Amino acid sequence: MTKQLATGLLTTLLIGQSLLAQPPAQPPARNSYSIDDGWKYIPDGMAYAQDPKRNDIAGQEISLPHTWNATDVFDDDRTYKRSIGWYRKELHFGKETANRRIFLWFEGASQVADVYVNGFFLGRHKGGYTGFGFDITDALKHNTDGSSDGLVAVQVNNAHDPFVPPLSIGYASYGGIYRDAWVITTGAVHFTDVNNNSGGVYFHTPDIASGKGTIAIRSTVANETGQPAAVSFINEVYDAADKLIRTETTRSTIGAHQQAPVTATVDASDKPRLWSPADPYLYQIKSRIELNGRVVDEVNNKLGFRWFAFDPNKGFSLNGQNLVLHGTTRHQDMLGKGDALSPEDHERDLRMIKNMGANFIRLAHYPQAPRVLQLADELGLIIWEEVPVVNYMTLDDEFFRTAQTMTQEMIRQGYNHPSVVMWGSMNEILLYSKEGVRIQKHTDTAYIAALKHYAVRLDSTIRAEDPTRYSTMAMHLSDDYAKFGLDHISQVAGHNIYDGWYSGTLDDFGKDIDAIHRNEPWQNIFISEYGAEGEVRLNTEKPQRLDYTETYQRVYHEAYLRQINARPFLAGTSIWNEFDFSQPNIGGPQGHRNQKGMVTWDRQPKDVYYLYKANWNPEPMVYIASHDWTTRGGEAHAPSTIDIYSNLPQVSLTVNGVSQGTQTPDDIHKARWSVQLAAGENIIRATGKSGKNPITDELIINYRVYDATPGTAATFRPISVNVGSNAQYLDAAATVWIEDRAYTPGSFGHLGGNASLFARGEIIKSTADQPLYYSFLDSLQGYRFDVKDGRYAVTLYFAESKDLAPGDRVFDIAINGQPVEQGLDLAKTDGYAMAIKKTYIVEAKGGQGVQIAFTAKKGNTLLSGIKLEQ
Ligand code: GCB
C-alpha cells in the first residue's frame, strides 16, 4: 500500500511503485513514494549481504517500519540484540527515470547504517534518530530500454558505540530501519537535500513580530547537466483554503555540474493569520524550479506565522500574549511494536496529548519521526526537540562531531515547522562519571572542563544553525551544574525534578524551584521533567512514595500541579512522561518498563490523565478516579475514597442511587467523597452541568467484603494478601490481593517484619504477577489467620530479593507446629529474583486457626504474598 507522505513536503503526485510500470504521460517534476514493503531482513551480520547476486541469503520478509527488538527487550533475559542486521530490497524503475536523478531517503535507522546499491557503498549514517539519504542514480543498473534496477542493501548496527550518542539511556536502543523509507526522483536540475523533510527549501518569517508576513526563503539548487542552467525559483504562497496569495520569482544561472544558493523574499500578507495552539493555522508554500519554462523540481511545505519569547519572570509568550506551556514528554515506542511506529500510531499519540489539554511536548530524548512535527503543526502543539546526548560524553572529537552532525540534521529537518520553539543539546549530562557510572558529585575537574567545552560548542551549533529559536538543555537536580558553570550555557535552563518520588518530599519541589529562581533570577527556567510511576494494577487508600500505585501517582501530580500553578515565572513544564515506555533492566512491578506515563504502554489513559484534562482542556468533563480499581477488597464498614476530577462548577455524587451530596471542585478541579460501599456491585455516578447539559461519569465498583474484626473469623474467601505492601493488587484473574496488616487477635495479619521493596534495577523473573513480588516483608516471624476449624490450602509467594550466595539466607517454616520447610534456601533452589510459590494443605483444629511460623537459620526470613483457601 502506498503510504501517505510522512514528510513535510507535499509532492505533485504520489504514486505507488507498482504503478511505475505505466508511466504517466506527463511525468511530474518530482516523484516521492514509499518503499516500505518487500524488504528481506537478515538477522545476522555477514560479509556479503550487499552482493546483488546473493539472492539465496535466508531472511524474513518484512515491511518497514521494522525493529528486531520489538519483544526481546522485555523478556526475563537481561540482554537484547544489539548488533548487526541487514535489509535487502530490489528496486525496479520504469523508463521515465531516464535522465532523472534518483534518491533514497530513510527517515531513520538505528543506529549506524551503511547503505549499498548494487554492491556500491554509498555511505554511512551515524545516529538512530535523524533522516538521511543518498543519490543512487550512478549506482543503478541502467538498461537499454531506459529503465533501471538496483539492489538496495542496508547494514544496520545498534551495538553500543562510544562515538555515537547516546552512550547511556534509560530506554531501549532498538535496532532496525524503524521508520519509513522513500524513493524520490527529480529532474537533473533540482533542489539539494531532496527530502530533509522540507524538500530542500527552508524559510522563516523575520518580520512577523511587527505584524508583517514576510517570508525569507532559501535553498540550494544543483545543476547536474553539462550546460549552465538559467533557472527561475518560483514561490507561491497559499492560504489554508488553497487560495493563492502571492507569487515571487527570482532568477539565477547555475554553472554546469555546480550547486548554487537561491533565495527569495515574499511579502505574503500584511496581517497574516497567526499560528497558535488554539488556532494552528497553516499556509502553504509551493516552491519550484523552472528551466526553459519547464518545471524540473517542485516541493510544497506548510508554514505558520508566529513569534515567541521567554522571560525569566513572566514565562513564555506566543504572538505577544502570555501562554503558560502545559506540557508533557514523549518517547517513540509502544507495546508490541518497539519504536517501529506507524504514522497512525504517531497521530493517535499526539491526539491523546492534545486531548489531555497539553499545548507543549518535549520530544525526549531524540528527534522523532517526521510525522510527529507535522502533526504538532497541524494540532497546535509547541515543541522542544533534542539530540540524544545523555548522562555523559566521550571526550573525543569524533563523538562531538557526530553529536554536532545530529544537531544540524535535527535542525535542518525540523526547521520549517512552526511548532518548534527550542532545540535541546543534552540531558542530565552530569548524572554519570566519564566511565559511565552514576555518581552524586563530580570531582574530576579535567573531565568537566572538557565536557563544558563540548557543551558550549554544541549550544553554539544550535544558535548558529537556527538563530530564530532558543537553545536548551535538561539538568538533573545537582549543584554541580551551577558549580561548574553548565547551567547557563543554553538560553532556557531545563530542570528535571523528582522530589517526592526518588527522594525528598512533594513540597521540596516548590522549594527547589524557588531556590533556582532566587539564585539565577536572569534565567529562563523550564521544568523539563517531573513524574512518578503508576501501575494500574496497584491501588490503595494509603498512598506512599515508591509504592507504584495509581493512587500515589495522583497524589504526586496533584501536589506538583498546585506548586506549578503558583509559579508564573516558569517558562513551562513537561510531565515525565505521557506514555509508559521501555526501560531495559529496570524492575518494579512491571519489569523493563518505565511507568511514569499518564497513559499505559498499550495506550490506556490512567487516572492522572484526567487530572490534567480537567485542568487544561476546557471541554466540559467529569471523571471518577480509580477506573482501574473496579474490584476492591475491604471491611464491611470501612469508608472508601471516591475522587472526582471535573472542570464543571459543581459535581454531585450518588452511590447506588443514594445522594452523597454536591461539591465544588477545588483549585485543581478535584472533589473528594468518603463513602460506604455495599458488598457486591456499587454504581457510582458523578454528574455536573455544563450550562443546561448534564455531564456524567459512571463507575461500577465490585466491593469484596472481608471481616477482620476480632471475634469474627475472616470471611473473605480466599484471603489473598499483598504481603509487605500498603497497596491492593488486582491480578489478571480479578483476585484482589489486599494490603498487608499486622495481626490482631481474632483477625489475621503478619507477626513482625519490615516492609521492603525490590531494588530498582532488579527484574522479578518467571511471573506475570510482578506487583505481588515487588513489595515483601523482610525478617517476619510469622503470619496468622484466626479462621474456623477446617482444612485449608496455604500458598506462600517468595522471590529472593538479594543476589546472595546459596547458604546466605536460610529459614524454616512451620504451620500449626508442623514443619513444612526446613532449610529453605531460595538462592540455592531457585536463584536471585525468581518468583516462586509453594502450597501446603493444613488442618486447623481446636480453634487454633492457621499459624505460620518463620524461623531464620541464616540471614533474614522473607515473604511476598500469601493466600489462604478453603
Ligand atoms: C530522568 C531522565 C529520564 C528518565 C527519568 C526517570 O531524569 O531524563 O530519561 O526516564 O529520569 O524516569 O527516572
Side-chain angles (χ1 to χ4, degrees), residues 308-318 322-327 359-360 382 384 421-422 470-472 491-495 513 517 522-528 564 567-574:
F308 59 89
F310 287 93
D311 180 282
N313 294 308
K314 292 192 234 144
F316 181 75
S317 63
L318 183 73
N322 180 257
L323 179 72
V324 182
L325 292 179
H326 291 141
N359 56 19
F360 177 89
I382 292 174
W384 154 337
V421 301
M422 276 182 278
Y470 285 65
S471 67
T472 188
Q491 293 160 294
V492 176
H495 292 274
I513 312 175
H517 187 45
W522 37 265
Q523 184 65 281
N524 299 310
I525 300 171
F526 200 103
I527 304 304
S528 34
I564 288 167
R567 288 169 177 78
F569 62 83
L570 289 175
T573 53
S574 44

Side-chain angles (χ1 to χ4, degrees), residues 365 427-428 496 498 502 529 576 581 583 594 596 760:
H365 295 301
N427 181 68
E428 302 193 348
N496 301 345
Y498 289 93
Y502 289 123
E529 290 180 25
W576 189 259
F581 60 91
Q583 190 162 7
N594 188 309
K596 297 196 184 72
R760 189 161 183 261

Side-chain angles (χ1 to χ4, degrees), residues 11-71:
T11 51
T12 44
L13 189 61
L14 186 65
I15 53 173
Q17 198 185 1
S18 55
L19 297 182
L20 283 173
Q22 298 116 29
Q26 196 100 67
R30 182 183 283 210
N31 277 345
S32 297
Y33 53 89
S34 68
I35 49 163
D36 284 353
D37 296 327
W39 288 84
K40 187 190 271 185
Y41 164 58
I42 303 146
D44 305 314
M46 48 183 61
Y48 48 81
Q50 75 276 22
D51 184 342
K53 292 194 266 321
R54 293 302 303 264
N55 280 328
D56 55 319
I57 304 172
Q60 301 156 21
E61 300 300 323
I62 57 110
S63 292
L64 307 181
H66 174 261
T67 173
W68 56 71
N69 298 118
T71 54

